[in-house]
Each structure stands twice: as structure tokens, then as C-alpha cells.
């Protein structure tokens, strides 16, 4: 007999958050992580109300809020400081939560501490290798030490290069979109900006050079994060490591054309903290037909299921939505007898619809950020039409109520 209901593969943000969400529903899970400690990729992430309400429901928001930098808006400005457009990333009155820019390590620390305090087991140094078989209501899977584990469900929260996804799609590989984010950090005290205080993320636009992003980070705004996108060829893992190791080349790129973006870009790129330089190669997983195996014992979520381009900053926020809604539906199928296959169909359809809308939002943002000659086009090569930002659909849903509505309709 299985000892656990759910084996979660990966102690990244999706896996850790899933463990909390399942625990809240009274479902027993163990997390298996191949590394000896949590993965620490990338500096900080931006959390929006759709994700923060989930972290709040899981009782970790109060600790996240004090660790990160809280803000409401992003502003797109000209080099002259003239405001072009505002983009809401949060707001207490309208959406219940300010946005929060938090170091990934801090976020993981908060969630992992909660996981541990609840006694949820996390097995570091345990690598998933393959599914052995799915039999009736169980799945047998193997870890790299050769041990076989039997659980009711196996959930791949193992990131963009997911091994669990290979079980569903043996030939699927993440697609590189030819761009990488090159980012850095400077002490805020060294960054000058004569058009006011940089107290919110700014995108400084240049007609022909594109966009330069700069944002305060750390709870006390003592750091200034900044970066630009660069066209690069795809590399293997060693190639990306080498690319990141060449700090001077990255600094040169960030300093190149800095004048075109004004004094904030010049002062920030002259005061880079070398050890905080980062490279984010943009890989995506194009929409997959299904996020679960035919027997529905194996499920993928987060980046493993739908890694998306970064423009709208929704990568991790969308992963939290997957996790929370999945846990509510699994509980509904166990406690209220809702058909699990139908619940999975509802889950994937609901989630994919929202991801499709994010992809549209990404295009709208790219349209504004890209130099004129590189602006996005639709499938027919026609330039994407610029629309006003509408973010209510993104931040406002009450996920619990939406699941409840569906469960009620499924119970009838
Ligand atoms: C440099 C960088 C910067 C980023 N910045 C942002 C940002 O600002 N905002 C944003 O929204 N998103 C950002 N992203 C994207 C974001 O990191 C992902 O959307 C998010 O990490 C997905 O979380 P996840 O838990 O699904 O996967 P991951 O964070 O990749 O976690 C997967 C975990 O699974 C483990 N694992 C993998 N294989 C196995 C196995 N076989 N067995 C056991 N464990 C395994 C891994 O070690 C890892 O701990 C960034 C990504 C990068 C690379």
C-alpha cells in the first residue's frame, strides 16, 4: 500500500507550495529533491496579487511581505523621464495586495520553513529517474538509488527540464526563444536619477535601443536591480555556465548603449556588484495537450507543464495558481467524490486559458518594449495591435470560489 498520497518531484517553488496546499487539504505528501539543498537560480522574482492571495491562504504571505520590496505600479518612461504608461502589478485597494519583489532564496526559505514546521517530509539528494508502472490507483516510480516507491500520485514539479514530463512526452524538449535576460544589481545609493526617486520598477524606453529595466529590491530598497535582453545563440549547460562566468563580457553588454537610456542606466551599470550578475536564457514549453498521464496517476505542473516567456513576469505566479487549484480539486475528488478525470480536465482547461491570456499580455508588453523594427507580429506576419492593459482578469479571481462553482456543477 502506498504510504503517501502524493510524491512531489522537486523542491522548487512549485513543489514546496504544492506540499503546503495539499497539507491544508489533509493530503499526505513527500517532496523528493535531487539536489542537496534548494536550487538557487536567479535573484528576485515579482509576485502579483493572484499569487500573493494563494501564499496568504497558505499562511506564508505575512512573512514574504516583510522580506521583499512592496510596490503597486511599473512605469514605462522615456529617457527624458516623461511618463508613457503605467502597468499595475498590485494595489491593496483594487486587488487586495501590493506587489512584492522578493529574492527567490528568501521566498524558498519562508515556504520551506513552513513546510518543515508542519512536519512535511522533504528528501534532499533523492532524484526521480523514471515511472516503472501505473497500476489502477497507484504509480510505482524509481529514484536514482534504484529504490522503487509506490504512491497514489506522482507530481512533476521539476522545472523546465522536467524528467517527469519525459514520461508523458518522451521527445519534448524546451524551446529556446533566442533571447536571454542579462541582469545585475548595484547599491541603490550609487544610482542617480534626476527625474525623481526610483521607488517602483521602471522600464526606460529608447526608440531604437529597446528597453532598460530598473527596479528597487530588498525590503529597504537598498539594492537596484537592472537589466536588458540580449539576442544569443542556444548553448548547452556548460555553454551557459561559461557565458555567466565571463563577467566582464556581461558588464560590457550592460554598459554598452547605457547613455541611450540616461543617467540611471549609466550610474547603475558603472556600479555593478559582480557576484550578482545573472543570465536568464528564455526557454519555453509550448502548450501541451495534457498535463497528466492516461491513467491520471502522473501529473506535471509549474514550469514542467508550461514555462512561458518572461515579459509579464508571471512565470512563478502562474505556477502558484496551478498548485493551489490542483490541491483543491484533488481534495474535492477524494472528499466529495468528484470524478478526478473531469477535475483534471477542468484544471488544465482553466489554467491553459489563463496562460494563453498571459501570452497575449506578453505580446502587448513586448510591443511597447522592443525597438520598432523588432516588434511582435501575429501568425500572419501582421504587427500586433497595441491595446490598453486590462489586468483585472489576472489579479481578481477567487480561485477557491471558482473551484467550488465547478465542483457544485460536477456534483449535480
Ligand atoms: C535566472 C532566472 C531568473 C528568473 N526570474 C524570474 C522572475 O523574475 N519572475 C518569474 O516569475 N519567473 C522567473 N524565472 C522563472 C521561474 O524561475 C520559474 O517560473 C520557476 O522557478 C518555476 O518553478 P518550478 O518550481 O516549477 O521549477 P524550478 O524552480 O525549476 O524547480 C524545480 C526543482 O526540481 C528539482 N528537480 C529537477 N529534476 C529533478 C529530479 N529528476 N528529481 C528530483 N528533483 C528534481 C530541481 O533541482 C529544482 O529544485 C526565472 C528563471 C531563471 C532561470
Amino acid at each position: 500500500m502506498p504510504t503517501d498520497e502524493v510524491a512531489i518531484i522537486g523542491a522548487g517553488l512549485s513543489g514546496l507550495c504544492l506540499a503546503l496546499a495539499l497539507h491544508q487539504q489533509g493530503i499526505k505528501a513527500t517532496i523528493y529533491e535531487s539536489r542537496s539543498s534548494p536550487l538557487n537560480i536567479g535573484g528576485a522574482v515579482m509576485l502579483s496579487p493572484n499569487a500573493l492571495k494563494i501564499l496568504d491562504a497558505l499562511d506564508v504571505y505575512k512573512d514574504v511581505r516583510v522580506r521583499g520590496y512592496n510596490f503597486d505600479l511599473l512605469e514605462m518612461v522615456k529617457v527624458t523621464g516623461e511618463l508613457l504608461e503605467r502597468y499595475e502589478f498590485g494595489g491593496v485597494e483594487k486587488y487586495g495586495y501590493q506587489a512584492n519583489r522578493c529574492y527567490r532564496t528568501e521566498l524558498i526559505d519562508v515556504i520551506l520553513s513552513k513546510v518543515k514546521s508542519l512536519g512535511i517530509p522533504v528528501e534532499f539528494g533523492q532524484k526521480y529517474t523514471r515511472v516503472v508502472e501505473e497500476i489502477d490507483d497507484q504509480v510505482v516510480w524509481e529514484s536514482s538509488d534504484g529504490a522503487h516507491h509506490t504512491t497514489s500520485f506522482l507530481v512533476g514539479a521539476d522545472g523546465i527540464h522536467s524528467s517527469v514530463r519525459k514520461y508523458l512526452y518522451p521527445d519534448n524538449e524546451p524551446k529556446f526563444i533566442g533571447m536571454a535576460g542579462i541582469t545585475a544589481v548595484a547599491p541603490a545609493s550609487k544610482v542617480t536619477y534626476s527625474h525623481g526617486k526610483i521607488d517602483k520598477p521602471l522600464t526606460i524606453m529608447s526608440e531604437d535601443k529597446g528597453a532598460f529595466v530598473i527596479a528597487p529590491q530588498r525590503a529597504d530598497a537598498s539594492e537596484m536591480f537592472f537589466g536588458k535582453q540580449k539576442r544569443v545563440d542556444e548553448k548547452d549547460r556548460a555553454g551557459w555556465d561559461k557565458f555567466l562566468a565571463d563577467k566582464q563580457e556581461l558588464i560590457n553588454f550592460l554598459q554598452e548603449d547605457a547613455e541611450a537610456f540616461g543617467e540611471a542606466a549609466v550610474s547603475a551599470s558603472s556600479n555593478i556588484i559582480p557576484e550578482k550578475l545573472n543570465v536568464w536564457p528564455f526557454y519555453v514549453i509550448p502548450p501541451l495537450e495534457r498535463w497528466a498521464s492516461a491513467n491520471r496517476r502522473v501529473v506535471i505542473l509549474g514550469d514542467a507543464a508550461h514555462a512561458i516567456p518572461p515579459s509579464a513576469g508571471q512565470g512563478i505566479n502562474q505556477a502558484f495558481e496551478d498548485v493551489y487549484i490542483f490541491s483543491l480539486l484533488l481534495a474535492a475528488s477524494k472528499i466529495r467524490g468528484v470524478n478526478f478525470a473531469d477535475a483534471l480536465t477542468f484544471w488544465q482547461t482553466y489554467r491553459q486559458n489563463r496562460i494563453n491570456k498571459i501570452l497575449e499580455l506578453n505580446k502587448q508588453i513586448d510591443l511597447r518594449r522592443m525597438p520598432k523594427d523588432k516588434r511582435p507580429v501575429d501568425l500572419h506576419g501582421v504587427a500586433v495591435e497595441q491595446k490598453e492593459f486590462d489586468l483585472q482578469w489576472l489579479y481578481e479571481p477567487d480561485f477557491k470560489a471558482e473551484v467550488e462553482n465547478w465542483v457544485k456543477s460536477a456534483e449535480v
Side-chain angles (χ1 to χ4, degrees):
M1 273 301 285
T3 49
D4 275 327
E5 285 290 340
V6 182
I8 301 171
I9 307 302
L13 287 168
S14 302
L16 290 169
C17 192
L18 176 62
L20 288 188
L22 291 173
H23 180 89
Q24 193 170 66
Q25 299 303 321
I27 299 171
K28 224 172 143 197
T30 296
I31 307 177
Y32 298 86
E33 166 59 51
S34 57
R35 294 168 191 266
S36 53
S37 59
L39 171 67
N40 177 18
I41 38 163
V45 293
M46 297 212 292
L47 301 169
S48 49
N50 48 324
L52 292 169
K53 70 178 72 167
I54 291 170
L55 296 182
D56 204 6
L58 299 176
D59 197 26
V60 284
Y61 170 65
K62 58 183 187 314
D63 294 329
V64 172
R65 194 178 65 78
V66 295
R67 301 249 195 147
Y69 182 75
N70 298 288
F71 63 97
D72 292 340
L73 298 167
L74 313 184
E75 283 183 353
M76 294 178 189
V77 294
K78 283 190 180 173
V79 181
T80 56
E82 184 191 329
L83 177 67
L84 290 168
E85 207 167 353
R86 291 205 160 102
Y87 179 96
E88 295 172 317
F89 219 87
V92 173
E93 265 182 35
K94 209 161 163 189
Y95 304 119
Y97 299 87
Q98 283 202 287
N100 186 283
R101 182 170 177 84
C102 190
Y103 263 95
R104 183 192 302 263
T105 45
E106 300 260 2
L107 197 51
I108 287 190
D109 186 43
V110 167
I111 302 179
L112 183 57
S113 302
K114 183 78 180 176
V115 163
K116 286 185 175 162
S117 76
L118 294 171
I120 302 169
V122 188
E123 306 246 357
F124 285 103
Q126 274 276 14
K127 184 174 181 177
Y128 156 93
T129 51
R130 69 182 180 108
V131 170
V132 179
E133 59 181 339
E134 289 183 74
I135 341 158
D136 302 327
D137 57 358
Q138 296 182 1
V139 50
V140 183
W141 61 276
E142 192 175 282
S143 48
S144 56
D145 55 4
H148 283 197
H149 311 253
T150 303
T151 43
S152 301
F153 299 96
L154 173 74
V155 178
D158 52 344
I160 190 158
H161 300 288
S162 168
S163 314
V164 179
R165 189 178 60 238
K166 290 266 174 232
Y167 173 65
L168 304 180
Y169 297 96
D171 302 322
N172 181 289
E173 293 293 340
K175 190 167 162 262
F176 181 58
I177 62 172
M179 302 279 271
I182 313 294
T183 64
V185 173
S189 58
K190 298 273 172 65
V191 178
T192 55
Y193 187 62
S194 55
H195 308 297
K197 193 169 177 235
I198 305 180
D199 57 0
K200 57 180 80 63
L202 296 183
T203 302
I204 303 172
M205 318 284 254
S206 148
E207 273 281 304
D208 40 69
K209 301 287 181 197
F212 182 94
V213 174
I214 186 159
Q217 66 184 19
R218 293 236 176 258
D220 58 1
S222 55
E223 289 184 351
M224 217 41 97
F225 161 92
F226 61 97
K228 286 194 301 185
Q229 296 189 0
K230 183 175 169 56
R231 283 196 182 279
V232 275
D233 292 332
E234 187 172 10
K235 304 170 196 328
D236 59 16
R237 185 170 287 194
W240 286 120
D241 287 347
K242 193 159 165 270
F243 190 76
L244 176 61
D246 192 346
K247 306 275 186 214
Q248 194 52 52
E249 195 56 36
L250 300 177
I251 292 174
N252 291 347
F253 170 73
L254 288 167
Q255 290 180 343
E256 191 182 285
D257 298 327
E259 288 83 11
F261 298 103
E263 59 173 326
V266 173
S267 55
S269 60
S270 311
N271 288 286
I272 289 172
I273 303 170
E275 59 274 22
K276 295 202 170 179
L277 276 161
N278 213 342
V279 173
W280 178 6
F282 300 149
Y283 282 89
V284 298
I285 300 293
L288 298 174
E289 204 178 306
R290 54 199 168 84
W291 297 350
S293 61
N295 281 5
R296 300 175 187 90
R297 297 287 117 193
V298 181
V299 173
I300 51 175
L301 44 69
D303 266 17
H306 54 65
I308 51 178
S311 317
Q314 278 294 317
I316 196 56
N317 296 287
Q318 290 304 300
F320 288 146
E321 288 190 22
D322 285 357
V323 157
Y324 188 59
I325 297 173
F326 176 79
S327 71
L328 295 175
L329 288 165
L330 182 56
S333 80
K334 286 169 61 64
I335 298 159
R336 293 164 67 176
V338 170
N339 181 292
F340 185 58
D342 293 345
L344 278 180
T345 304
F346 167 72
W347 175 63
Q348 186 174 340
T349 309
Y350 179 88
R351 295 290 310 115
Q352 187 66 57
N353 281 342
R354 285 180 59 80
I355 285 161
N356 292 346
K357 289 177 90 166
I358 302 280
L359 296 174
E360 289 306 311
L361 189 57
N362 278 344
K363 278 193 205 153
Q364 284 296 321
I365 293 172
D366 291 345
L367 187 60
R368 290 155 166 90
R369 281 187 183 164
M370 296 283 190
K372 260 189 180 155
D373 56 332
K374 300 204 175 70
R375 290 190 178 158
V377 290
D378 67 14
L379 289 173
H380 311 289
V382 177
V384 173
E385 187 196 336
Q386 186 163 320
K387 296 185 188 138
E388 266 187 37
F389 290 125
D390 158 29
L391 295 156
Q392 267 169 321
W393 67 268
L394 179 55
Y395 303 145
E396 278 192 338
D398 176 341
F399 300 116
K400 214 169 181 173
E402 304 229 358
V403 169
E404 184 56 30
N405 282 343
W406 179 81
V407 170
K408 278 192 182 136
S409 70
E411 279 176 329
V412 174

